[in-house]
Amino acid sequence: MLGYFDQLKTNELTPSGTPKDNFHFSQDTAEYNELSQSGISSGYGFDWEFGSTTVPRVLTVRFTEPGSPAATAGVPRGATLSRINGVDFVNDNTQQGVNAINAALFPEDAGTVTSFEFVQVDGPTLSVDITSGDISVTPVQNAKVLDTENGKTGYFQFNTFIVTAQEGLIDAFDMFVEENVTELVIDLRYNGGGRLALASQLSYMIAGPNQTNNATFETLRFNDKNPNTNPVTGETVRPTPFYRNVIDYNAGQLTDTLLPSLSLTKVYVLATGATCSASEAVMNALRGIDVEVVQIGSTTCGKPYGFYPTDNCGETYFTIQFQGVNNKGFGDYADGFMPTTTPNFDFELPGCEVEDDFTASLGDPNEGMLSAALEYAATGSCPEVVTSNGVADVKALRSNQSALGGEKLIPIDKPEQRKENFILHNKINQPVIQERK
């Protein structure tokens, strides 16, 4: 079945020459259900930034999940891995060493003790033993209100559109409403997507009732053989509205409880190449109702497509089945949304190109991307580009590879690859949620 499934993948390219389908995959159904419903996965609690998977390897901590073994061990953002279980993580190019690294980075069982050695941004080495466990993902983190030149500015880090995110989003927006926030910065730099219903709810909480009234969050566009009928459900294609109510996700129904909202006409989004799918759907949907989206960071991953997860004999399959378009009918951003000072195309957004800054914590006003957003809000222009982000220069490191004498470089695996596939390349559409009768 898997072999046949892989043969169905298209070989077509986007206008820029990149593959149209980078997102076709399958996953064990039990694992998929556990992660999508509860946000629980196994590991240490690291979210990694891969600079290089071959020597000289660069693996940097983006952040650690609150309460996880990695967080408890005090491993800070920006720390780079130097040794693991005694193996030289950066330079070991033996198969034995690579196997040991792979086994240590993502152990099969909880309770595995692994020795890590990190080089921190400020220089000193940090050596810690960390025990793997079941990690509960916290989708909404670092929600806060900042006093800025432009008034009260809300900020929150949002990592994934899973069911458990609803409560965190509501708590954050309740705080923003209570504090009379007039500017909002949403940190989506590591948010790869998830449930479109949550994306619709978030968009409503930003834009409020007046701007979303009778407007469409997103409409699914299938192929030319199915212009009006959903070939998966057999139902007439109906636009997804901006959901303004709390959702009972277990029952798949809207409740009578109204969501908090800010009714903003402009929002600042921190984005990178890891900003994907449902995150991009939020950006696209807001632009579809003329809410200005200012993009700070770099080009997003470019995924206007999505799936209906389909189980078959314990394996859940994800195939590109639809494209999402906004209230204006736009959904052509397969090469990603791009920040620019002079937007000319619909996939170009006003904003600034800024590198991810690993020298400061997420949510710190001095962190490069957040700082740039705050300066843009105050002045309407981009700051000087920050060139030092605390991550090793891979090109410079590669210039020193002559010692390998042309030896074949052995790549390590990426940790939690299945989780990454599910989160980073997914735009989950479930049947339209009906109002409670």
Side-chain angles (χ1 to χ4, degrees), residues 85-109:
N85 281 346
V87 178
D88 183 345
F89 174 80
V90 177
N91 299 305
D92 193 309
N93 194 49
T94 65
Q95 189 63 60
Q96 180 181 3
V98 169
N99 290 344
I101 290 171
N102 287 334
L105 279 178
F106 46 108
E108 294 183 1
D109 302 314

Side-chain angles (χ1 to χ4, degrees), residues 20 196 216-232 235-240 284 304-308 319-333 346 427 429:
K20 272 192 171 183
L196 287 177
T216 296
F217 166 74
E218 183 170 282
T219 300
L220 304 190
R221 179 180 291 168
F222 296 89
N223 59 24
D224 55 7
K225 296 180 181 178
N226 297 279
N228 302 310
T229 302
N230 184 322
V232 179
E235 298 177 352
T236 300
V237 174
R238 292 183 176 88
T240 299
N284 196 44
Y305 315 114
F307 328 102
Y308 282 89
T319 57
I320 298 301
Q321 291 163 305
F322 59 85
Q323 178 184 25
V325 298
N326 66 15
N327 193 60
K328 296 182 178 180
F330 177 74
D332 295 324
Y333 51 89
D346 286 336
K427 184 176 185 180
N429 188 70

Side-chain angles (χ1 to χ4, degrees), residues 23 137 194 203 222 270 288 294 305 323 385 422 429:
F23 313 108
V137 174
S203 301
F222 296 89
L270 309 186
V294 179
Y305 315 114
Q323 178 184 25
V385 176
F422 166 59
N429 188 70

Side-chain angles (χ1 to χ4, degrees), residues 185 189 270 296 354 357 364-377 383 386:
V185 180
R189 74 183 78 186
L270 309 186
I296 306 295
V354 181
D357 176 15
D364 183 338
N366 295 314
E367 186 274 321
M369 291 172 70
L370 177 54
S371 175
L374 298 177
E375 183 166 337
Y376 193 102
V386 178

Side-chain angles (χ1 to χ4, degrees), residues 369-393:
M369 291 172 70
L370 177 54
S371 175
L374 298 177
E375 183 166 337
Y376 193 102
T379 66
S381 59
C382 298
E384 293 185 11
V385 176
V386 178
T387 57
S388 177
N389 64 4
V391 178
D393 187 333

